[in-house]
Amino acid sequence: MDGLGAARLSVLSHLYRLGTLTPTQVARHERVKLQTLTRLLAELEADGLLLRRPDAADARSTLLSLTPAGAQILSDEVRRREASLTAALEVALKPKERALLLDACALIDRVTVASGIPNVAASVGSAVRSPPG
């Protein structure tokens, strides 16, 4: 697979960060209707990236969790995207500009923590740093 699409990446990321969820909870986090996700969840399950099992507390519901293969492909995709961003930043920005961008990422981190929004700036911050050497 040549990278994950945005929707697949988002669903896998939610399961990674939040753990086991119902399909309805995933839809809520994705801000879409459950019907919109049905096919995507089936594809992720068929690809072995997520596991669907009955909810012991509610026989009408199922629980979704990330499989080890799903966690690995997600991790690989994040590393690939960070490397791509790092390379682009090194070409486009001077070291002082990268340092300024890193400072801005720290400010964004503070705002996201204060507002309760999951920290989305952390991976940007790691990509902004110049690689050692």
Side-chain angles (χ1 to χ4, degrees):
M1 184 182 313
D2 283 339
L4 292 171
R8 291 169 68 94
L9 178 64
S10 183
V11 168
L12 294 177
S13 295
H14 279 110
L15 291 171
Y16 178 80
R17 284 192 314 272
L18 303 172
T20 301
L21 299 170
T22 66
T24 301
Q25 290 170 320
V26 173
R28 192 174 307 125
H29 286 289
E30 291 293 319
R31 295 188 173 106
V32 298
K33 292 181 180 180
L34 180 57
Q35 295 81 353
T36 304
L37 274 183
T38 301
R39 175 180 273 171
L40 177 61
L41 295 175
E43 290 172 0
L44 290 168
E45 182 180 20
D47 290 345
L49 304 179
L50 71 78
L51 177 67
R52 186 186 310 250
R53 61 183 167 80
D55 184 345
D58 181 356
R60 299 166 298 166
S61 186
T62 60
L63 298 174
L64 305 172
S65 58
L66 200 59
T67 64
Q72 183 63 53
I73 200 164
L74 179 62
S75 177
D76 292 347
E77 181 69 7
V78 168
R79 278 195 295 279
R80 185 189 70 76
R81 288 176 182 226
E82 284 180 352
S84 177
L85 180 57
T86 298
L89 292 172
E90 288 175 357
V91 168
L93 300 177
K94 297 175 182 167
K96 271 188 172 180
E97 293 169 321
R98 288 195 305 270
L100 184 61
L101 184 56
L102 186 57
D103 289 343
C105 289
L107 293 174
I108 292 169
D109 284 346
R110 283 183 23 209
V111 170
T112 58
V113 168
S115 66
I117 298 170
N119 187 350
V120 295
S123 65
V124 174
S126 68
V128 172
R129 293 181 192 90
S130 297

